[in-house]
Amino acid sequence: MTAKIIDGKAIARKILDELADEVADLSARGKQPHLLAVQVGEDAASSAYISSQQKRCEEIGIKFTREGLPADAPERQLLERIRQLNDDKSVHGIMVQMPLPEGMNHMKVHTSIAPDKDVEGMTAANMGRLVYGEPNFAPCTAMAAYSLIKSLKMPLRGLEATILGRSKIVGRPLYLLLLMDSVTPVICHTGTADLKAHARNADILVSAVGRPGFVTADMVKPGAVVIDVGINRVPVLDENGQPTLNEKGKKKMKTVGDVAFDEVSKVAGYITPVPGGVGPMTVAMLLRNTVRAAKKAAGMRDAG
Ligand code: NAP
């Protein structure tokens, strides 16, 4: 069997094109969606992430503002800024960039964001709504994986799903999203006794572990849907298995997922590539949430 590729990039592109029309409509009414990112300190990866979000927002007409606080800013200063932004009607979505400096309480910080501006779906209120089966904003990466599964338009009721990884941004919320479709989900983690057996049993296998090559062909049920959330940087090897160097003499690197793509795509029915699978969908979910937040603030109904 050769798996069909779930093209996250193309699916995300379609969502972004539709959002661009909605943003144009909102902007024409003087209600341009506005996303604001707060970064504490200057983590390089986080700065790069903010720049890429900014680019995507601006491409479809969403206003994007980035704000910085010094790395030694006290938690109460961040909480006070979030309180002001919650009251600021010109801001529709608030993101607090990870990682936060040591000593800051992530849950307290996230939960201080107004739930209707929590476009990353990280507040306790929005997480709690998932448990009630009435999502408001769900974490974007979990929503991305879920939307890619839904894009297949297959009946989900009765299927078994195995999610590798129990993080707050992927495994736990995805478990709850799949439950809403009457899937029977299982989450595996480092304490799972026989992870391979759970993986092999899955009609839908999602990996969010953060280890290259973690999911091998012998862990996949023939015909299964395989969603690879992992993002891992690994050296590019030459034909002898040695790392290749760039012009500066540094190891050339590439991005891979958790799934051993070549061998698993011979067994699976559907598979997401990395890059080009869950990653672009995660950004699309964030922008979609921002547009929804702006519509909500304007008292407009949201079709999707
Ligand atoms: P995380 O918080 O580090 O969670 C990793 C999970 O994997 C944990 O639950 C951990 O188990 C489990 N795990 C790790 N090694 C394992 C092993 N050997 N056996 C069984 N379970 C194992 O990671 P995350 O933030 O969810 O991210 C996961 C991956 O997704 C990373 O590669 C990250 O870069 C990527 N990611 C992608 C996107 C995207 O847009 N595509 C967005 C966010 C993250 P324990 O809980 O027992 O430690």
Side-chain angles (χ1 to χ4, degrees), residues 49 140-142 144 163-172 187-192 195 207-212 214 228-233 256-258 274 277-283:
Y49 180 71
C140 297
T141 310
I163 304 164
L164 310 178
R166 58 176 158 182
S167 73
K168 290 184 275 302
I169 62 168
V170 193
R172 293 171 199 225
I187 299 190
C188 299
H189 42 78
T190 53
T192 302
L195 183 144
S207 185
V209 164
R211 288 175 192 269
F214 188 81
D228 191 352
V229 180
I231 296 180
N232 307 290
R233 297 286 290 163
V256 298
D258 291 347
V274 178
V278 176
M281 274 302 274
T282 300
V283 179

Side-chain angles (χ1 to χ4, degrees), residues 7 75-76 89 101 130-131 139 156 174 191 210 219 247 276 285:
D7 187 346
E75 186 181 87
R76 67 181 143 69
K89 290 197 166 36
L130 273 182
V131 176
L156 297 179
L174 181 59
M219 293 166 66
E247 55 287 355
M285 295 299 107

Side-chain angles (χ1 to χ4, degrees), residues 281-294:
M281 274 302 274
T282 300
V283 179
M285 295 299 107
L286 176 71
L287 273 52
R288 189 173 75 179
N289 284 349
T290 303
V291 173
R292 282 186 173 168

Side-chain angles (χ1 to χ4, degrees), residues 71-299:
D72 60 356
E75 186 181 87
R76 67 181 143 69
Q77 188 180 346
L78 176 60
L79 294 175
E80 172 56 18
R81 185 61 191 134
I82 293 172
R83 198 191 58 72
Q84 290 165 354
L85 293 169
N86 285 342
D87 291 341
D88 182 344
K89 290 197 166 36
S90 75
V91 173
H92 305 113
I94 304 168
M95 287 165 72
V96 176
Q97 285 307 128
M98 293 295 114
L100 288 173
E102 290 239 333
M104 283 204 186
N105 180 329
H106 290 209
M107 184 175 164
K108 192 170 167 191
V109 168
H110 274 129
T111 290
S112 69
I113 298 172
D116 283 344
K117 295 191 179 189
D118 169 31
V119 288
E120 291 188 293
M122 294 302 294
T123 57
N126 282 331
M127 293 276 190
R129 287 194 54 154
L130 273 182
V131 176
Y132 277 92
E134 292 186 14
N136 180 29
F137 295 126
C140 297
T141 310
M143 265 312 286
Y146 177 69
S147 301
L148 290 175
I149 295 166
K150 295 286 277 185
S151 77
L152 299 175
K153 301 199 183 313
M154 57 166 58
L156 297 179
R157 185 182 180 83
L159 296 185
E160 308 269 334
T162 297
I163 304 164
L164 310 178
R166 58 176 158 182
S167 73
K168 290 184 275 302
I169 62 168
V170 193
R172 293 171 199 225
L174 181 59
Y175 178 99
L176 294 166
L177 288 165
L178 289 171
L179 265 188
M180 293 189 322
D181 285 285
S182 297
V183 171
T184 304
V186 170
I187 299 190
C188 299
H189 42 78
T190 53
T192 302
D194 192 348
L195 183 144
K196 281 196 175 191
H198 287 295
R200 265 197 303 268
N201 188 43
D203 304 300
I204 301 168
L205 178 61
V206 181
S207 185
V209 164
R211 288 175 192 269
F214 188 81
V215 177
T216 47
D218 60 331
M219 293 166 66
V220 176
K221 181 174 178 176
V225 176
V226 177
I227 307 287
D228 191 352
V229 180
I231 296 180
N232 307 290
R233 297 286 290 163
V234 297
V236 178
L237 303 179
D238 64 16
E239 61 276 13
N240 301 316
Q242 295 304 310
T244 54
L245 303 180
N246 63 20
E247 55 287 355
K248 287 182 184 160
K250 291 201 165 156
K251 278 185 195 165
K252 275 192 197 163
M253 304 295 282
K254 62 176 180 177
T255 301
V256 298
D258 291 347
V259 175
F261 185 87
D262 289 345
E263 61 178 75
V264 171
S265 56
K266 293 192 180 98
V267 181
Y270 294 89
I271 189 166
T272 60
V274 178
V278 176
M281 274 302 274
T282 300
V283 179
M285 295 299 107
L286 176 71
L287 273 52
R288 189 173 75 179
N289 284 349
T290 303
V291 173
R292 282 186 173 168
K295 282 180 143 179
K296 226 174 183 179

Side-chain angles (χ1 to χ4, degrees), residues 54-74:
Q54 177 157 15
K55 196 161 156 251
R56 295 285 165 271
C57 281
E58 290 171 354
E59 272 167 15
I60 66 159
I62 294 177
K63 179 177 172 186
F64 189 95
T65 305
R66 56 198 296 172
E67 283 191 6
L69 289 177
D72 60 356

